[in-house]
Amino acid sequence: GAGVSQSPSNKVTEKGKDVELRCDPISGHTALYWYRQSLGQGLEFLIYFQGNSAPDKSGLPSDRFSAERTGGSVSTLTIQRTQQEDSAVYLCASSSQQGRTEAFFGQGTRLTVV
Amino acid sequence: DQQVKQNSPSLSVQEGRISILNCDYTNSMFDYFLWYKKYPAEGPTFLISISSIKDKNEDGRFTVFLNKSAKHLSLHIVPSQPGDSAVYFCAAPTTDSWGKLQFGAGTQVVVTP
């Protein structure tokens, strides 16, 4: 596609349920990133995939968070046993290569845990 | 550990005037800085960057100034236009990858007619 696509746009879930958020990066982009933005905060780095290398998971806030990237393209961010503090906008970005190339962001998934 | 700080959550400016957005950082190892612009319900879009070997970078109406000794940078928008109304984020790469960034909290700019 023309840009980074994320689905769903909005997700409301009950506390304790698992959720999956999907990201389709720009075709051909080898690097993919997940961020989240909580209310009134800046973007917080979560995880980074680059080609076939092991992902950089240094930003994941707890072991309830995981992500995978299948076939070097689509990525899924999974949050298990959601908590209210997980409510945020989850943003995905991709870039054409590792290094000094800006990343392009999707529109985000707004997650609300009730 | 907030290494990039934007202490002004909002800024209101008249159309045609200058907007000045400020950003401070604590990590002297940062060697690039980026500004992103974000409209509601959209993802951030890259605006302009500056290398730590420069003190100024200009792109059209947008200029970024870097003061390394003060660990401070600013984004100037001249002249401001209503379409510039958005949230602006200052960010710094924490590795060689420009996708892994430390972001500031953002500054909401409102340009009034």
Side-chain angles (χ1 to χ4, degrees):
Chain A
V4 177
S5 177
Q6 292 186 245
S7 59
S9 298
N10 284 283
K11 175 73 176 179
V12 180
T13 190
E14 290 182 352
K15 179 181 171 181
K17 294 282 179 77
D18 297 351
V19 294
E20 285 189 353
L21 312 179
R22 178 186 167 106
C23 172
D24 280 279
I26 293 172
S27 177
H29 278 193
T30 58
L32 186 147
Y33 313 84
W34 283 98
Y35 285 82
R36 73 175 175 181
Q37 185 181 15
S38 302
L39 191 63
Q41 304 295 314
L43 282 72
E44 175 191 5
F45 168 79
L46 298 177
I47 188 169
Y48 160 37
F49 296 89
Q50 171 59 49
N52 295 320
S53 302
D56 177 348
K57 304 180 183 179
S58 60
L60 294 179
S62 77
D63 58 8
R64 295 187 296 105
F65 288 72
S66 63
E68 62 178 22
R69 188 178 186 194
T70 54
S73 181
V74 171
S75 178
T76 303
L77 178 69
T78 301
I79 309 173
Q80 296 178 309
R81 305 180 302 282
T82 52
Q83 304 294 311
Q84 287 186 328
E85 61 263 28
D86 299 334
S87 296
V89 176
Y90 289 81
L91 290 151
C92 175
S94 69
S95 63
S96 60
Q97 60 189 16
Q98 188 176 13
R100 293 169 181 168
T101 306
E102 68 267 23
F104 295 84
F105 282 82
Q107 84 283 8
T109 294
R110 180 174 295 279
L111 175 67
T112 304
V113 182
V114 298
Chain B
D1 177 24
Q2 193 71 11
Q3 299 183 53
V4 178
K5 300 177 185 179
Q6 294 175 259
N7 293 319
S8 297
S10 64
L11 171 71
S12 183
V13 65
Q14 264 191 323
E15 182 177 2
R17 307 292 279 265
I18 183 171
S19 295
I20 300 177
L21 291 78
N22 293 305
C23 177
D24 297 292
Y25 62 97
T26 59
N27 189 339
S28 57
M29 298 299 290
F30 288 151
D31 61 356
Y32 267 90
F33 300 91
L34 293 76
W35 286 91
Y36 273 83
K37 175 180 179 179
K38 186 181 185 300
Y39 293 117
E42 294 184 12
T45 54
F46 171 76
L47 189 58
I48 192 170
S49 66
I50 189 167
S51 163
S52 61
I53 63 173
K54 295 186 175 182
D55 55 17
K56 177 182 173 181
N57 188 27
E58 188 173 352
D59 184 1
R61 297 184 297 114
F62 302 91
T63 303
V64 57
F65 295 92
L66 175 61
N67 182 336
K68 280 198 301 181
S69 61
K71 294 193 179 70
H72 176 84
L73 59 156
S74 60
L75 175 68
H76 293 209
I77 307 173
V78 183
S80 300
Q81 298 175 352
D84 297 331
S85 296
V87 178
Y88 291 79
F89 292 98
C90 174
T94 56
T95 67
D96 277 346
S97 166
W98 275 17
K100 186 178 177 183
L101 299 162
Q102 279 263 351
F103 278 88
T107 297
Q108 171 77 61
V109 173
V110 176
V111 180
T112 57

